[in-house]
Amino acid sequence: MEFKIGVIAGDGIGPEIVAEARKVLDRVGSVYGHTFHYEEILMGGCSIDATGVPLTEEAIAAAKASDAVLMGSIGGNTATSPWYQLPPDRRPEAGLLRLRKELNLFANLRPAYLYDELRAACPLRDEIIGDGFDMMIMRELTGGLYFGERRTEAVDGVMTATDTLTYSENEIRRIAKRGFDIARKRRKKVTSVDKANVLDSSRLWRKIVEEVAADYPDVAYEHMLVDNCAMQLVKDPKQFDVILTENMFGDILSDEASMVTGSIGMLSSASLNDTKFGLYEPSGGSAPDIAGKGIANPIATILSAAMLLRYSFDLDAEADAVEAAVKQVLKDGCRTIDIMPQEGSAGQPVTQVGTAQMGDLICSHIGA
Ligand code: IPM
Ligand code: MG
């Protein structure tokens, strides 16, 4: 089959990690007989440098014309990069937020899974890890604080900044349904995370989630306050199957969840709308401190490409093959620097490899 993939390499380590994911997709293409056509799309700091804005109308049109978009990462060092001297709506992140909104990508799936081979990179104690954990964070992506009205103004001579957190029942219902649908295909448990002891938006969230839950009698659900969830993620991550939550809470909890899997360099993500289209990106950032050094972990991006094959192209066998190849390479003891075992930990001997070598090794296990 033939597919058109928009590619947003972006900034920092983005181009390096996307190059490896493309290598893997090409390998899948040649083994399984598919052709992937790539169209490079500018977004983020590189787009600011080239066009003056983080996302052009042409870039949005190119993304819309693709069957799916694969993305690396955008942004730079917020303390030193000139991009952050620009007004907020012209900075790199504004491009990503606009693209999410334009494409209506309201459902963000962030799987956090502990590979048995990476136990030694997990910062949690052995008895907490137990026989591992496997959760899916379902983050609402086009509402809440990220897209509410905001302003900074002088109020009675005092500088005052306001951000608004708004959710409609429709926005909550559609993401909740997605969360319960996914749970049905997993271990059938939803933990809906909110701050209903303080926020009106969370009280509505809870009410709508309960309504949706009534249609899924086979799925167990519970409510959890976000501060407690942050604690539970390090205390007992095994308890979670699907974590369903709003935009800001999901942003924070998914970084935390990634760290308990050993590294943010392992965490993939899919941002979906009501169609087969999706935007696939690693959950981590552009890591400007290590950009260009050839040491970044490409696995999150490669696993994002696997999600792309699965969710947008319905190529389950191909996605399985990519995921199995990643597992095999880890089993063989190959590690990028971020997932090297902690000093003094027991376990198999491992070898440190760079970004491109990791990509090559993963390719070598596809169709082998
Ligand atoms: C993420 C990132 C983005 C977000 C930034 C880059 C705007 O942190 O995808 O988690 O906050 O959503
Ligand atoms: Mg984030």
Side-chain angles (χ1 to χ4, degrees):
M1 288 166 79
E2 285 197 35
F3 300 96
K4 196 164 155 195
I5 302 177
V7 177
I8 300 175
D11 310 314
I13 58 170
E16 300 162 57
I17 53 181
V18 161
E20 299 316 307
R22 272 177 68 161
K23 239 189 228 173
V24 169
L25 285 170
D26 285 337
R27 175 77 189 157
V28 166
S30 69
V31 171
Y32 291 86
H34 305 299
T35 308
F36 301 120
H37 302 283
Y38 303 102
E39 173 158 5
E40 312 242 355
I41 301 173
L42 278 182
M43 188 172 86
C46 56
S47 174
I48 296 174
D49 292 344
T51 71
V53 292
L55 185 71
T56 60
E57 299 304 319
E58 298 80 73
I60 296 171
K64 283 186 177 164
S66 311
D67 297 316
V69 172
L70 177 69
M71 187 189 137
S73 52
I74 52 136
N77 184 320
T78 50
T80 57
S81 165
W83 298 329
Y84 297 93
Q85 304 301 317
L86 294 166
D89 61 345
R90 302 258 306 276
R91 294 179 192 169
E93 288 74 7
L96 177 58
L97 298 185
R98 169 129 193 252
L99 191 65
R100 287 174 179 168
K101 197 71 175 178
E102 287 281 342
L103 298 171
N104 194 28
L105 302 172
F106 64 89
N108 183 216
L109 277 66
R110 298 189 162 184
Y113 171 81
L114 181 70
Y115 286 87
D116 205 34
E117 295 76 19
L118 292 187
R119 287 177 78 100
C122 175
L124 303 180
R125 283 201 313 272
D126 228 37
E127 63 265 32
I128 296 176
I129 300 175
D131 51 9
F133 45 84
D134 174 3
M135 65 190 113
M136 178 69 87
I137 298 184
M138 173 62 89
R139 169 188 176 193
E140 200 292 327
L141 202 60
T142 52
L145 274 174
Y146 278 65
F147 294 95
E149 211 181 288
R150 65 179 100 255
R151 61 183 178 279
T152 304
E153 65 199 336
V155 176
D156 298 331
V158 179
M159 285 308 286
T160 307
T162 307
D163 298 280
T164 43
L165 201 182
T166 303
Y167 269 107
S168 74
E169 58 175 305
N170 298 342
E171 289 173 301
I172 301 168
R173 191 168 287 113
R174 68 179 179 178
I175 189 74
K177 281 186 182 160
R178 283 292 177 94
F180 280 85
D181 283 340
I182 288 270
R184 225 173 217 170
K185 295 190 187 153
R186 296 174 45 99
R187 299 193 310 278
K188 297 193 171 53
K189 179 180 173 193
V190 170
T191 303
S192 173
V193 174
D194 62 38
K195 189 69 185 172
N197 53 348
V198 178
L199 303 176
D200 260 24
S201 54
S202 284
R203 286 187 273 268
L204 182 62
W205 182 277
R206 225 172 238 225
K207 177 170 178 286
I208 303 300
V209 167
E210 275 171 18
E211 286 176 18
V212 171
D215 293 332
Y216 295 81
D218 52 322
V219 177
Y221 79 98
E222 62 182 352
H223 301 290
M224 190 178 279
L225 295 173
V226 63
D227 45 353
N228 184 28
C229 183
M231 186 173 79
Q232 295 297 332
L233 272 171
V234 288
K235 193 171 166 236
D236 180 19
K238 286 190 297 297
Q239 69 184 288
F240 296 109
D241 179 16
V242 173
I243 292 180
L244 169 66
T245 193
E246 64 92 53
N247 205 344
M248 180 75 155
F249 299 157
D251 178 45
I252 299 167
L253 294 175
S254 60
D255 269 29
E256 188 188 359
S258 73
M259 204 52 232
V260 303
T261 69
S263 168
I264 195 156
M266 297 297 297
L267 204 74
S268 56
S269 92
S271 305
L272 309 173
N273 59 22
D274 277 324
T275 71
K276 276 279 159 198
F277 179 90
L279 170 76
Y280 299 84
E281 53 169 321
S283 290
S286 60
D289 51 321
I290 59 162
K293 295 188 177 160
I295 58 171
N297 186 349
I299 292 180
T301 319
I302 290 168
L303 292 173
S304 301
M307 289 183 96
L308 180 156
L309 295 171
R310 193 183 300 285
Y311 290 104
S312 283
F313 299 169
D314 286 322
L315 298 177
D316 286 337
E318 289 82 341
D320 289 346
V322 173
E323 288 168 3
V326 167
K327 237 179 145 54
Q328 187 57 49
V329 167
L330 296 174
K331 200 169 264 167
D332 294 344
C334 302
R335 305 278 188 274
T336 43
I337 189 164
D338 56 304
I339 48 173
M340 287 294 282
Q342 299 184 344
E343 205 76 26
S345 57
Q348 64 166 144
V350 297
T351 314
Q352 193 176 319
V353 301
T355 310
Q357 209 182 340
M358 184 56 101
D360 290 340
L361 287 163
I362 292 169
C363 285
S364 73
H365 287 290
I366 298 171

